[in-house]
Amino acid sequence: MARQLSISVTARSAGPRHEVYRLLADSSTWSRWTPFTAVTLVEKAPDGSEGVGSVKETRYRGGRGRERIVALTPDRRLSYAYIKGSFTPLLRDYVAVVDLDDDGEGTLIRWASTFYARFPGSAWLPRRILTAFLQRCVDGLAAAAVTGAGR
């Protein structure tokens, strides 16, 4: 049986939790605070929003991916599933959860994901790349909530 792998990165933002969440929940800001060069809403949620069920296409260095929002808790949590893209040949069942908690006058951001390797020994590369990539995302989100870079 395949072993579930996990990644977890954190950052602290001096920005308030509601501002961090606003940036996180609005994919039109993502290319300003993540390494993604473009993020496009390709499928709206059943209620017509960018909420649960919506699908975003991400672009980074010529690669593309698709992510579906699977859970939202306003000002607290966003969760998405990676459904298609450059890592599809190497991993499956990728799900990420971004949790926001009050931390003094700021916000603690924890971005954690789990997945399974498609083949024995194939997890090391996506795990290494994704850990660095997610750290850049969480650091960018933390900074953007203070500087207004996501506006």
Side-chain angles (χ1 to χ4, degrees):
M1 179 177 236
R3 181 175 65 101
Q4 187 178 51
L5 301 157
S6 63
I7 298 169
S8 181
V9 296
T10 61
R12 184 188 181 284
S13 177
R17 188 168 31 93
H18 71 272
E19 178 64 11
V20 176
Y21 182 82
R22 183 191 69 77
L23 294 169
L24 183 63
D26 180 1
S27 66
S28 72
T29 70
W30 291 8
S31 62
R32 295 181 204 131
W33 53 265
T34 71
F36 291 126
T37 54
V39 178
T40 307
L41 180 65
V42 294
E43 186 178 321
K44 291 183 178 181
D47 67 2
S49 74
E50 198 175 333
V52 175
S54 66
V55 176
K56 289 117 174 90
E57 181 177 82
T58 57
R59 293 187 199 164
Y60 176 67
R61 292 187 178 180
R64 293 179 188 224
R66 290 213 174 182
E67 300 170 350
R68 181 180 310 279
I69 300 298
V70 296
L72 289 172
T73 303
D75 291 343
R76 290 278 177 200
R77 174 179 278 183
L78 178 142
S79 182
Y80 64 91
Y82 183 78
I83 56 175
K84 179 181 178 182
S86 302
F87 285 111
T88 304
L90 299 175
L91 56 83
R92 62 181 173 80
D93 301 331
Y94 179 96
V95 176
V97 177
V98 184
D99 283 314
L100 309 176
D101 291 304
D102 291 327
D103 184 28
E105 293 184 18
T107 305
L108 178 64
I109 308 165
R110 180 175 179 263
W111 199 310
S113 61
T114 58
F115 64 94
Y116 293 91
R118 283 212 182 266
F119 307 102
S122 67
W124 70 271
L125 181 60
R127 187 174 192 178
R128 183 174 179 181
I129 292 170
L130 287 168
T131 299
F133 187 87
L134 294 180
Q135 188 65 58
R136 288 177 63 193
C137 290
V138 77
D139 290 343
L141 178 57
V146 176
T147 64
R151 292 180 189 240

